[in-house]
Amino acid sequence: MRQTKRDELVEKATAIFYRNGFQATGMDRLVAETGISKTSIYKHFETKDDLIVATLKSRDAFLRGWLFGRMAELTSSPREQLIAMFDALHEWFNEPDFHGCMFAKASSEYQDPEHPINREATDHVARISAQLAEIAEKAGLNHPSELARQLALLKEGAVVLATMGRGGSPALDAKAVATKLVEEADPDK
Amino acid sequence: MRQTKRDELVEKATAIFYRNGFQATGMDRLVAETGISKTSIYKHFETKDDLIVATLKSRDAFLRGWLFGRMAELTSSPREQLIAMFDALHEWFNEPDFHGCMFAKASSEYQDPEHPINREATDHVARISAQLAEIAEKAGLNHPSELARQLALLKEGAVVLATMGRGGSPALDAKAVATKLVEEADPDK
DNA sequence: CATTAGGTGTACTGATCGGTAAACCCTGTC
DNA sequence: GACAGGGTTTACCGATCAGTACACCTAATG
């Protein structure tokens, strides 16, 4: 019942795809870097695309778990969590192996909205937005869904600029804007 | 002196790469869809990467020209232009052949910061930020460079959500935030 | 001991990749 | 009328692509 080999494969493949890109990573390279035979890989996944989808599911669980977990670590107040998200992002951007958002890359490389890989990517951003809206609601702020959309906007923009920008601290720029937005959505004036 | 054939190639290749992705588009397909022979292509460009860089330069000139041109059409006031950018973006997102930002895709597919294709992509966002800062300065607003960074944040976030989001109007969400930011940067309180 | 499940290595398939070679075909200009 | 530049077609190169076939190994279970 242990499916450790499959898990090991997904975990290693996630890292390799993230670092190296999807189309740019051949199956032979995957074999070489994971030490798992191609036969074995294709016993667990019918196609490369299936494997990619699995890595995205894994990454989605990890990333959302980490982000919202870190926000909860930083503060227990839902209202402050919305702002603390940008501190968490700041930490993420400054990790030495930060290479942008894996889902943005996936969506770039597989543009067809019908493609399961693209679906997985758009699912990820939808889930993040939904969680933000939930927190905004819990915080009792005005127009929680509008606020969540705006915070998502800032979050995605910060990721892009952290990836493609030249220096600076986009997460902190975003935090400044987010702070204003949250203050304005405060029902107590 | 006429380099019409080269221009025709770059123009057609830009559209194909934008619609189809870079790595996913083979040279044979480029030949088939442009009607230009491979020999001819390689007489103008040493490698596929060189051609890609040329398409990015072309797209950069077109996109920035269109965006800032449209902003100027919508209003002559620099201050209002900063806000009108999001109306222009809204128009762009709703064009039937909108497929996201070509430079984000380029940066996704060629992650190495030393790679000329990645450089071209980061150059593009840097140029946009610089132009925004220039306009903010001209508008006489407070902290123009900070404001420009925040507007760039909103712009990139809107592009991502327009590409990967599910419906909604991210450009208009961003416009609402941008309006507040510009108002707050007004030196006359 | 026999069976079975999960793993391995090696070798291979046909297709496609980026890029090249060579012969030819116009259309202008000296 | 010779020549040259820019274009064409066709065929090809070695490398790599995703995916498969097959024989073998090993450890747990009956």
Side-chain angles (χ1 to χ4, degrees):
Chain A
M1 198 49 52
R2 310 228 311 294
Q3 52 186 37
T4 67
K5 208 67 183 182
R6 186 197 143 112
D7 291 347
E8 179 193 348
L9 168 60
V10 170
E11 186 181 336
K12 289 184 175 175
T14 303
I16 297 171
F17 283 137
Y18 178 54
R19 183 179 356 108
N20 210 66
F22 300 98
Q23 323 215 44
T25 303
M27 295 305 290
D28 290 333
R29 176 164 183 176
L30 230 45
V31 171
E33 288 199 31
T34 61
I36 298 173
S37 70
K38 206 188 280 194
T39 317
S40 210
I41 296 179
Y42 279 99
K43 210 160 277 179
H44 289 298
F45 300 96
E46 287 194 358
T47 64
K48 182 188 182 182
D49 285 1
D50 286 349
L51 172 59
I52 293 178
V53 168
T55 65
L56 291 177
K57 284 186 198 295
S58 159
R59 179 80 180 166
D60 169 64
F62 171 79
L63 237 194
R64 293 205 342 275
W66 178 83
L67 180 62
F68 290 97
R70 189 80 187 102
M71 285 158 60
E73 265 177 35
L74 289 171
T75 170
S76 61
S77 149
R79 181 198 147 118
E80 295 307 315
Q81 282 178 7
L82 295 175
I83 297 172
M85 172 168 73
F86 297 93
D87 292 316
L89 289 175
H90 186 67
E91 293 175 16
W92 179 32
F93 298 163
N94 287 304
E95 280 175 19
D97 56 349
F98 171 74
H99 288 106
C101 174
M102 191 169 182
F103 300 91
K105 291 180 203 296
S107 154
S108 290
E109 293 198 38
Y110 303 86
Q111 303 197 42
D112 180 1
E114 309 294 326
H115 196 297
I117 294 178
N118 191 289
R119 286 186 125 78
E120 202 56 42
T122 56
D123 280 354
H124 172 74
V125 331
R127 283 191 271 258
I128 287 193
S129 295
Q131 277 180 273
L132 284 179
E134 213 175 293
I135 298 179
E137 196 112 22
K138 204 175 298 176
L141 296 166
N142 293 330
H143 311 105
S145 72
E146 182 191 2
L147 176 64
R149 290 201 313 271
Q150 294 173 337
L151 293 176
L153 214 53
L154 290 168
K155 182 251 174 192
E156 299 301 340
V159 171
V160 168
L161 289 181
T163 312
M164 304 182 61
R166 320 255 222 230
S169 292
L172 302 184
D173 288 333
K175 184 185 179 183
V177 181
T179 305
K180 288 181 195 166
L181 293 178
V182 169
E183 280 170 5
E184 283 189 29
D186 195 326
D188 311 332
K189 152 54 147 291
Chain B
M1 198 51 54
R2 310 225 312 294
Q3 52 186 40
T4 67
K5 208 71 184 179
R6 187 197 143 112
D7 291 346
E8 179 193 348
L9 168 60
V10 170
E11 185 181 337
K12 290 184 174 175
T14 304
I16 297 171
F17 283 136
Y18 178 54
R19 180 177 1 108
N20 211 65
F22 300 99
Q23 323 215 46
T25 304
M27 296 305 289
D28 290 333
R29 176 163 184 177
L30 230 46
V31 170
E33 290 200 29
T34 61
I36 298 173
S37 71
K38 207 189 276 195
T39 318
S40 208
I41 296 178
Y42 279 99
K43 212 160 273 177
H44 289 299
F45 301 97
E46 287 195 357
T47 65
K48 182 188 183 183
D49 285 1
D50 285 350
L51 171 59
I52 293 177
V53 168
T55 65
L56 290 176
K57 284 187 197 295
S58 159
R59 178 82 180 163
D60 169 64
F62 170 78
L63 238 194
R64 294 206 340 277
W66 178 83
L67 181 63
F68 289 97
R70 188 80 186 101
M71 288 158 59
E73 264 177 36
L74 290 171
T75 168
S76 61
S77 148
R79 181 199 146 118
E80 297 307 317
Q81 281 178 7
L82 294 175
I83 297 171
M85 172 168 73
F86 297 92
D87 291 316
L89 289 174
H90 186 66
E91 294 175 15
W92 180 32
F93 298 164
N94 286 305
E95 280 175 19
D97 56 348
F98 170 73
H99 289 105
C101 174
M102 190 169 184
F103 301 92
K105 290 178 202 298
S107 155
S108 289
E109 294 198 37
Y110 302 86
Q111 304 197 41
D112 180 2
E114 310 293 326
H115 196 295
I117 293 178
N118 192 289
R119 287 187 124 80
E120 202 57 40
T122 56
D123 280 355
H124 172 75
V125 330
R127 282 190 272 257
I128 287 194
S129 296
Q131 279 179 271
L132 284 179
E134 212 175 292
I135 298 180
E137 196 112 24
K138 205 175 298 177
L141 296 166
N142 293 331
H143 311 107
S145 73
E146 184 193 0
L147 177 63
R149 290 201 312 272
Q150 295 174 336
L151 293 176
L153 215 50
L154 291 168
K155 181 250 171 194
E156 298 301 338
V159 171
V160 168
L161 289 181
T163 312
M164 304 182 62
R166 316 251 221 238
S169 292
L172 301 185
D173 288 333
K175 184 184 179 183
V177 181
T179 305
K180 288 182 194 167
L181 294 177
V182 169
E183 278 169 6
E184 282 188 30
D186 194 325
D188 310 332
K189 174 31 150 325

